[in-house]
Amino acid sequence: MGVGVNEHLSKQFDAELESIRSRVLEMGGLVESQIRRALDGFGSGERALLDDVIATDRRVNEMEVALDGECSHVIVKRQPAANDLRLIFAITKTVTDLERIGDEAQKIARMGKSIAEREYSGGRLTRTADVRHAAEVVISMLRRALDAFARLDCDAAMEVIRQDASIDSEFQAILRQLVTYMMEDPRTITTALDVIWVAKAIERMGDHAKNMAEYVIYIVKGTDVRHISSREAAALAR
């Protein structure tokens, strides 16, 4: 096979990878929109918005399936070398985490519907602000993780990994406050339990964003930094 043919195939391969990366970022944008719309519906109790978030989750799932198929096709067709193979594997894992974040957004929408359909909804109205703040932190993490993926930036990825601890702290604070509400007024128990599920969904989103950041380090450094401390991960990412 001549040099010109090899160069042509190499450019085709690069174009295919770039197309896949662009679609991952597109999927990330849709997932971020799902989070925001789920929170808006949770805060307002708007049934049509909540139903639309739930219905739109199918699009997120379809994007995951399509991207997984494309990655498998590229592996079979191109038989990529180690660096490119790491990228493709990391993309499939990133797509899985994005799909799971979409699932968590759908859970928030479902809890919002449950609360809106209940006669007593005081708990939802008083806890929305706290949940919203935690969710904004998660949205920031998701954006940073996607940006780190787009630029293959290990420093940006490490910022996301470090930020995950704040989400865990916020979840614990929300949980303590909701337990206090339930003890003071038993009428809030059902709604408070739904809000706890929402807070837990937000915490899980943070975990998935952290996973995505870890994959960036894996792509760049070839090192798996899951299940180690953030200090150890930072040392390996240098």
Side-chain angles (χ1 to χ4, degrees):
M1 194 179 293
V3 174
V5 174
N6 280 331
E7 186 178 352
H8 175 69
L9 291 175
S10 177
K11 286 181 178 178
Q12 278 188 329
F13 180 43
D14 288 345
E16 288 170 359
L17 287 180
E18 191 54 40
S19 173
I20 290 171
R21 280 166 54 117
S22 295
R23 291 181 62 190
V24 171
L25 295 173
E26 179 186 348
M27 183 179 178
L30 176 59
V31 168
E32 181 186 337
S33 172
Q34 282 283 86
I35 300 170
R36 289 197 178 279
R37 293 167 72 239
L39 289 164
D40 288 344
F42 175 76
S44 68
E46 185 182 337
R47 180 68 176 266
L49 177 56
L50 293 168
D51 283 338
D52 192 56
V53 170
I54 293 166
T56 303
D57 188 58
R58 188 190 313 175
R59 273 186 61 203
V60 176
N61 296 341
E62 288 170 350
M63 292 180 85
E64 180 198 19
V65 171
L67 281 163
D68 275 347
E70 285 189 39
C71 287
S72 297
H73 179 71
V74 165
I75 291 171
V76 171
K77 187 170 85 170
R78 300 295 185 186
Q79 298 180 356
N83 287 351
D84 289 327
L85 196 57
R86 280 208 309 269
L87 172 61
I88 294 167
F89 283 155
I91 285 173
T92 61
K93 289 177 178 292
T94 296
V95 166
T96 297
D97 277 294
L98 284 174
E99 188 274 333
R100 289 178 180 169
I101 292 174
D103 285 345
E104 299 299 337
Q106 185 190 58
K107 285 180 191 175
I108 292 173
R110 291 189 184 280
M111 290 301 100
K113 282 182 66 175
S114 175
I115 292 169
E117 289 164 0
R118 210 171 289 131
E119 285 186 6
Y120 185 84
S121 60
R124 170 179 63 82
L125 296 176
T126 52
R127 300 316 309 160
T128 299
D130 293 301
V131 170
R132 186 85 198 205
H133 180 264
E136 288 295 338
V137 176
V138 162
I139 290 170
S140 170
M141 289 176 66
L142 175 59
R143 281 185 171 177
R144 287 185 174 197
L146 288 167
D147 184 57
F149 170 77
R151 297 186 292 111
L152 296 180
D153 184 337
C154 287
D155 290 338
M158 277 308 310
E159 285 300 315
V160 176
I161 293 169
R162 282 190 283 264
Q163 203 171 5
D164 184 57
S166 67
I167 289 295
D168 295 339
S169 297
E170 292 218 23
F171 172 72
Q172 292 301 323
I174 292 169
L175 185 59
R176 286 193 297 270
Q177 290 167 340
L178 287 168
V179 168
T180 300
Y181 271 28
M182 288 187 282
M183 292 173 65
E184 290 175 351
D185 184 355
R187 293 175 303 167
T188 67
I189 289 174
T190 303
T191 294
L193 289 173
D194 281 345
V195 179
I196 287 171
W197 279 111
V198 169
K200 186 62 180 176
I202 291 168
E203 184 200 33
R204 290 294 298 135
M205 289 178 183
D207 291 339
H208 290 303
K210 178 186 175 185
N211 290 346
M212 291 165 57
E214 289 171 344
Y215 304 146
V216 172
I217 296 171
Y218 171 69
I219 293 168
V220 177
K221 302 293 185 178
T223 304
D224 189 341
V225 296
R226 294 175 297 174
H227 314 304
I228 64 175
S229 71
S230 59
R231 181 178 298 177
E232 290 172 307
L236 290 169
R238 290 196 190 101

